[in-house]
Amino acid sequence: SERYNASEVEPRWQDVWESRDIYRADDNSDKPKFYALEMFPYPSGRIHMGHVRNYAMGDVVARYKKAQGFEVLHPMGWDAFGMPAENAAKESGGHPKDWTYGNIDAMRAPMKRLGFALDWSREFATCDEAYYKQQQAIFLKFWEKGLVYRKTAKVNWDPVDNTVLANEQVIDGKGWRSGAVVEQRDMDQWFFKITNYAEELLEGLDTLDRWPEKVRTMQANWIGKSEGLEMRFEGLGEMPDFEIFTTRPDTLFGASFIALSPDHPVVKDLAKNHSDVESFRAECAKIGTTEEAIATAPKLGYDTGLKVKHPFIEGKTLPVWIANFVLMGYGTGAIFGCPAHDQRDLDFARKYHLDVTPVVLPQNESADTYSIVTEAFTGEGTLINSGFLNGLNKADGLSAAISKIEDMGLGKGVTNYRLRDWGVSRQRYWGCPIPVIHCDDCGVLPVPEADLPVALPYDHIDLTIPGNPLDRHPTFKHVNCPACGKPARRETDTLDTFADSSWYFSRFAGGQGNGEPSDKPFDKTSASDWLPVDQYVGGVEHAVLHLLYARFFTRGLRDCGLLDLPNGEPFAGLFTQGMVTHAVYTDEAGKFILPADVDEKDGDLIDLNTGKPVTKGDVIKMSKSKKNVVDPDDIIKTYGADVARWFVLSDSPPDRDVEWTESGVVGAWRFSKKVWALVENIESANPMVVATAAEGPALDLRRFAHKAMDKITAGIEAFRFNTSVAQIYELTNALGKYKQNDDAKMEALGILIRAIAPFMPHLAEECWSKLGGDTLVYEAPWPVIDEAMLVEDSITLPIQVNGKRRSEINVPADMSKNDIEALALADEHVVRLLDGLTIRKVIIVPGRIINIVAN
Ligand code: ANZ
Ligand code: ZN
């Protein structure tokens, strides 16, 4: 028989697809639209198995929707700015731009070789001038709209290299290059006002019912809404009044200290005259700026010796401390500490010997014996030791405390969000330049739109020198003020690359490719027609930042009138796929070995190159550093793209990890041969035939095929591709056993091949054309299920006698209980068993079982 040769068949069909341009999405189509998108790749230089799995999943959806009659948009591009290009250029002495475009070219070919149904006409890279020019225009629109502002904020400062470091360049609190302990410095930075949308971004999560619950929860936590009280404490003596934020005003009677952030204005003032306050601040600054760093650092405090009045207790004062765990960026940067009911406060109080007064009594504790030792009680209970709040529960205590403070004129109930504005300034070269000019006379001005883009200089960039290459570039900085014409200074910060990925999907939807449109970010009508993305697929590592920033951007674009998307949600459906894992192999010295270099000999693993023994370790995510990677190129060469795609989809549910194994791939390869074997001897016929007159085995096959197809469809709809795959196997087996050559077989084959098409499109095209399909299988409609074939017409019922299974009978599905009973009692095994016994009872559970009780 003819052998199925993927390396010949696959490129041949790819040429057909390309020459017919079948994957180009038509903006003006009358069909319902479907936008399928996978998170676009960073051009690191190689396609890895994670990419294959990610894009294969999106491709299943895209092809399935096309078969269902949708006009499908399924584009691809490159998330191309960022640090790795600078690092690579630093090492090689090359240019980040050359490195990036070289990688894109190197990755496009294998990506095309995988045969995804992608509209390549819309391809772009975020580092294309045409793209970042429009991003600069958006930045200016956002600025006009009040969604962009400039303020002083902390940056990571390397005191040896005298430069700002990106977070990624700070490793364990030290500069990546100098190894110096990184300090926090204040610098002017650009921010996107994402907090304007805090409430909308939170509420919108409730409408995203096709998002994973865990992602919605993570975003909700990140936004971190809390209702509480902002109130003023009155300082005594040298201590000025100041505001605190608390979510637990019900515990005010348990307050035993005040803690101010080291960056609180009051502390900064104190530091001017007290050098030990200043040294304490410097010590705190070493911890870093991230919330995790602060949360995990040991608690540090400094007693100022100053006092404030307790708002409720006449004559009581509270000591004012400076504490490293209070963040300036949240609430008011000041708190009251209630050690009995907050673990952080308790740790702090124990360390510095401050009072611990319990004020919330747990349900089954008695007030006389209740005490707090090392564990704070944060649950609900009854208020004690709390004056006018005594006896109240948490909710009543909260509202009573808030009203009282409001009546006293000391504060008001407020809502706070943990969400901070998005700091987008990066002191790096390989990013979108922020289109701003600084003039000594006129201030900070936007670059006039006609002067966009502010293009990155493409000349030798020496990345071995610390600092921002744009800042020391000989010409980039120098520009004339657009207002007064005098020499001025260009902004040298570039935008966080998360900005690039916050609107690329709108450009795909409203762009024709080749840098079009060139006069706006995207065509408003087309983008608004396609959006939201119906199905987005990507890694769960983007659960918060990327997916939140994109939700912010669409709202900003909407409010600037650029996008007609009333609810502002860019992604209606989201799926987060699992990873591709592989065993790690090591040699005797513990060095990692590529799976491709490992061989099995007499049951032992050996290194192909040295013949020495190899140890198999854990199965973990494929990563270059552990060498447990399989190169998609190699797999495609050996087995073909379909097999690689099939395997990553077949073995596990899509949201779980899939372990890459050689045997699994071989299994997938064999399966593709088996499918081909079913059709290779069929002379052209009609794979769209419907065998309505079938009976006997032919009817059984029809039933089997329609039931399988029903489950295959349900599996795709529910993103459980592995269950679809299992049904495809079943149907293939059933067809393998079927010996007649008739319409029922042709119909079942036609169903099978169309079901396979989203997974193994090349094999499916080859089979479809062999079967005589008169369109491409890509253009063939999804099989229509004949509901009548799903109804069981006969069922098998087990018969139990005195609780033991003794026999079974086959009966029509709609047979009455009386008839079933009569048949069961006539069964020859039953007759023999019942000989000499009296039947006491016959219980029939419809569709399930027959029970006979006799003695
Ligand atoms: C007194 C208190 C008593 C608090 C108690 C908690 C328990 P969420 O829910 O996350 O909003 N807090 C306020 N501002 C802070 C800041 N800038 N840095 C560190 N901690 C801060 O948390 C609000 C609670 O976190 C506030 O309520 C405050 O401590 C603390 F039994 O006030 B609480
Ligand atoms: Zn000027």
Side-chain angles (χ1 to χ4, degrees):
S1 74
E2 276 173 67
R3 288 190 34 119
Y4 181 78
N5 180 358
S7 53
E8 182 273 319
V9 172
E10 292 183 350
R12 174 155 49 74
W13 282 109
Q14 288 169 9
D15 287 347
V16 173
W17 298 335
E18 191 166 335
S19 67
R20 295 212 213 157
D21 205 11
I22 54 171
Y23 301 129
R24 185 190 289 269
D26 179 3
D27 290 337
N28 302 314
S29 168
D30 304 330
K31 296 187 201 165
K33 291 192 160 67
F34 191 93
Y35 189 173
L37 184 69
E38 301 90 51
M39 292 179 185
F40 64 162
Y42 179 77
S44 59
R46 308 200 63 81
I47 296 284
H48 56 67
M49 276 301 166
H51 290 129
V52 176
R53 193 171 191 216
N54 186 201
Y55 302 125
M57 285 182 192
D59 209 48
V60 168
V61 175
R63 289 176 182 275
Y64 165 69
K65 289 293 173 180
K66 162 75 184 176
Q68 288 221 315
F70 288 86
E71 182 67 24
V72 173
L73 171 60
H74 187 208
M76 183 53 69
W78 310 95
D79 189 12
F81 273 136
M83 286 292 298
E86 291 191 27
N87 293 342
K90 186 170 67 133
E91 265 162 41
S92 67
H95 196 283
K97 180 172 177 176
D98 300 334
W99 183 85
T100 304
Y101 281 103
N103 285 350
I104 289 174
D105 288 338
M107 287 169 78
R108 191 189 295 105
M111 194 90 115
K112 290 199 167 176
R113 183 60 188 79
L114 281 158
F116 298 126
L118 290 166
D119 180 353
W120 283 100
S121 73
R122 300 185 191 229
E123 176 191 4
F124 59 79
T126 54
C127 62
D128 293 348
E129 247 176 58
Y131 184 78
Y132 72 72
K133 169 184 173 177
Q134 297 306 331
Q135 187 157 302
Q136 292 170 342
I138 291 172
F139 178 93
L140 297 179
K141 281 260 161 35
F142 277 17
W143 194 5
E144 237 169 72
K145 194 80 196 163
L147 293 173
V148 163
Y149 67 99
R150 201 161 168 256
K151 77 166 184 203
T152 315
K154 293 211 178 301
V155 292
N156 303 304
W157 181 259
D158 184 323
V160 169
D161 278 352
N162 281 316
T163 183
V164 173
L165 297 180
N167 281 330
E168 304 88 315
Q169 298 172 317
V170 182
I171 297 150
D172 292 334
K174 302 202 176 90
W176 63 320
R177 195 173 172 281
S178 68
V181 173
V182 169
E183 295 168 4
Q184 304 305 314
R185 278 232 178 150
D186 286 329
M187 265 181 61
D188 276 341
Q189 314 251 339
W190 291 94
F191 286 83
F192 281 139
K193 211 159 177 16
I194 189 169
T195 54
N196 266 16
Y197 297 100
E199 186 62 34
E200 196 191 325
L201 288 167
L202 183 66
E203 279 176 4
L205 292 173
D206 289 338
T207 68
L208 299 175
D209 51 0
R210 290 201 297 115
W211 277 41
E213 188 61 43
K214 66 169 185 257
V215 174
R216 290 196 275 165
T217 307
M218 284 166 81
Q219 290 216 0
N221 290 341
W222 188 266
I223 295 167
K225 178 177 184 171
S226 39
E227 314 263 8
L229 170 72
E230 213 166 274
M231 69 168 284
R232 188 168 74 248
F233 271 86
E234 287 173 18
L236 297 167
E238 206 195 323
M239 184 66 201
D241 293 0
F242 62 96
E243 307 266 332
I244 61 102
F245 170 67
T246 176
T247 49
R248 296 296 306 276
D250 56 320
T251 67
L252 262 166
F253 283 93
S256 65
F257 64 94
I258 293 292
L260 303 177
S261 161
D263 296 312
H264 195 280
V266 169
V267 176
K268 286 188 177 169
D269 267 356
L270 277 175
K272 287 181 193 147
N273 309 317
H274 300 270
S275 59
D276 40 350
V277 172
E278 188 46 49
S279 15
F280 181 72
R281 293 189 64 221
E283 203 177 326
C284 294
K286 286 187 185 149
I287 298 170
T289 46
T290 64
E291 242 181 87
E292 307 97 270
I294 290 167
T296 52
K299 312 245 162 321
L300 288 181
Y302 176 91
D303 184 0
T304 63
L306 299 168
K307 307 261 190 258
V308 300
K309 280 207 312 211
H310 191 289
F312 295 153
I313 307 172
E314 193 60 44
K316 181 173 168 104
T317 64
L318 301 173
V320 178
W321 285 70
I322 307 167
N324 66 342
F325 65 82
V326 183
L327 310 164
M328 194 55 222
Y330 187 63
T332 62
I335 64 162
F336 76 80
C338 176
H341 305 294
D342 183 279
Q343 193 60 45
R344 253 180 348 189
D345 295 351
L346 185 61
D347 297 343
F348 191 77
R350 291 299 181 215
K351 179 163 181 185
Y352 294 109
H353 311 290
L354 298 160
D355 296 341
V356 179
T357 311
V359 290
V360 182
L361 184 68
Q363 192 107 71
N364 30 25
E365 289 274 357
S366 129
D368 310 331
T369 54
Y370 177 50
S371 78
I372 297 281
V373 186
T374 52
E375 222 174 288
F377 175 67
T378 56
E380 302 215 3
T382 308
L383 289 168
I384 54 169
N385 303 325
S386 288
F388 70 96
L389 297 175
N390 277 338
L392 298 181
N393 64 16
K394 182 172 173 183
D396 293 341
L398 281 173
S399 50
I402 292 175
S403 322
K404 180 78 175 185
I405 294 289
E406 284 177 346
D407 289 348
M408 293 165 76
L410 286 178
K412 59 179 186 335
V414 292
T415 302
N416 246 310
Y417 298 90
R418 193 155 285 281
L419 184 66
R420 303 269 68 92
D421 277 334
W422 173 15
V424 290
S425 283
R426 296 291 179 274
Q427 292 73 29
R428 302 305 329 158
Y429 166 75
W430 194 231
C432 168
I434 294 177
V436 162
I437 292 167
H438 302 264
C439 171
D440 287 340
D441 294 340
C442 314
V444 186
L445 302 170
V447 171
E449 215 174 318
D451 295 347
L452 296 181
V454 177
L456 285 171
Y458 177 49
D459 45 19
H460 179 69
I461 300 288
D462 188 351
L463 290 149
T464 60
I465 307 173
N468 179 357
L470 289 177
D471 213 29
R472 55 168 194 270
H473 190 272
T475 56
F476 179 80
K477 245 171 43 171
H478 307 294
V479 62
N480 290 332
C481 171
C484 70
K486 280 193 244 164
R489 194 169 44 79
R490 235 186 234 302
E491 174 68 58
T492 57
D493 285 353
T494 51
L495 285 175
D496 180 0
T497 57
F498 273 115
D500 315 341
S501 51
S502 291
W503 68 284
Y504 75 106
F505 45 89
S506 304
R507 176 97 177 159
F508 278 147
Q512 278 70 58
N514 301 320
E516 292 297 327
S518 59
D519 58 340
K520 49 185 180 257
F522 42 81
D523 179 76
K524 180 176 174 177
T525 312
S526 297
S528 307
D529 276 357
W530 285 111
L531 286 172
V533 172
D534 294 283
Q535 186 60 61
Y536 199 29
V537 187
V540 72
E541 67 274 17
H542 294 297
V544 179
L545 297 182
H546 162 54
L547 290 167
L548 191 65
Y549 292 151
R551 297 179 64 222
F552 159 70
F553 248 73
T554 42
R555 285 167 170 83
L557 293 168
R558 174 197 67 192
D559 293 347
C560 290
L562 293 171
L563 193 60
D564 190 6
L565 190 68
N567 78 355
E569 292 299 345
F571 313 120
L574 171 70
F575 189 83
T576 53
Q577 91 275 4
M579 295 176 298
V580 183
T581 61
H582 197 290
V584 176
Y585 295 109
T586 45
D587 67 8
E588 291 163 308
K591 241 182 60 202
F592 296 118
I593 305 203
L594 282 169
D597 291 340
V598 177
D599 199 12
E600 202 178 311
K601 205 175 161 193
D602 309 328
D604 292 324
L605 298 175
I606 55 152
D607 185 332
L608 270 179
N609 302 318
T610 63
K612 297 237 174 85
V614 167
T615 313
K616 183 179 172 184
D618 291 343
V619 176
I620 55 172
K621 178 184 177 177
M622 284 188 181
S623 86
K624 266 203 282 192
S625 63
K626 299 262 174 0
K627 287 210 179 174
N628 61 335
V629 290
V630 172
D631 190 339
D633 277 350
D634 294 343
I635 299 298
I636 292 170
K637 273 195 205 102
T638 316
Y639 301 106
D642 281 339
V643 167
R645 297 168 53 135
W646 180 257
F647 178 67
V648 289
L649 297 177
S650 60
D651 248 23
S652 322
D655 54 340
R656 305 268 183 77
D657 293 350
V658 62
E659 182 187 351
W660 186 276
T661 61
E662 184 69 16
S663 58
V665 177
V666 171
W669 180 71
R670 284 210 194 97
F671 174 69
S672 67
K673 304 251 166 210
K674 199 165 165 184
V675 171
W676 175 245
L678 288 176
V679 304
E680 67 179 331
N681 295 320
I682 291 184
E683 283 318 317
S684 86
N686 175 17
M688 298 282 286
V689 73
V690 180
T692 40
E695 49 187 42
L699 181 58
D700 289 344
L701 180 67
R702 282 203 81 210
R703 287 186 197 288
F704 198 99
H706 281 267
K707 277 181 204 152
M709 193 61 222
D710 193 43
K711 291 181 191 146
I712 292 164
T713 306
I716 295 178
E717 287 281 350
F719 246 89
R720 287 195 313 267
F721 304 139
N722 57 317
T723 66
S724 305
V725 164
Q727 290 298 320
I728 291 174
Y729 283 139
E730 300 268 326
L731 181 53
T732 307
N733 287 339
L735 269 160
K737 288 184 203 138
Y738 190 75
K739 296 300 171 215
Q740 288 166 215
N741 247 329
D742 54 11
D743 277 359
K745 176 171 184 174
M746 188 48 77
E747 180 182 357
L749 275 174
I751 288 176
L752 175 72
I753 299 309
R754 280 178 288 166
I756 286 177
F759 299 84
M760 295 200 278
H762 312 85
L763 175 66
E765 290 292 7
E766 187 73 358
C767 293
W768 191 251
S769 102
K770 180 82 185 150
L771 292 179
D774 45 53
T775 61
L776 291 172
V777 74
Y778 177 69
E779 287 160 338
W782 197 243
V784 178
I785 306 284
D786 181 347
E787 295 289 333
M789 294 296 104
L790 302 183
V791 180
E792 299 282 351
D793 67 345
S794 81
I795 49 173
T796 302
L797 292 176
I799 305 176
Q800 286 190 351
V801 178
N802 291 336
K804 268 210 181 109
R805 187 183 166 125
R806 297 297 188 178
S807 187
E808 59 182 36
I809 49 170
N810 211 286
V811 300
D814 55 357
M815 189 178 236
S816 73
K817 277 193 183 188
N818 281 341
D819 292 350
I820 292 174
E821 180 170 336
L823 266 183
L825 294 176
D827 179 85
E828 54 172 324
H829 301 277
V830 174
V831 171
R832 219 178 317 123
L833 271 166
L834 293 183
D835 188 30
L837 301 181
T838 311
I839 296 168
R840 300 291 167 197
K841 213 177 194 178
V842 178
I843 306 158
I844 295 168
V845 186
R848 301 284 300 280
I849 200 164
I850 304 159
N851 260 311
I852 300 170
V853 183
N855 57 18

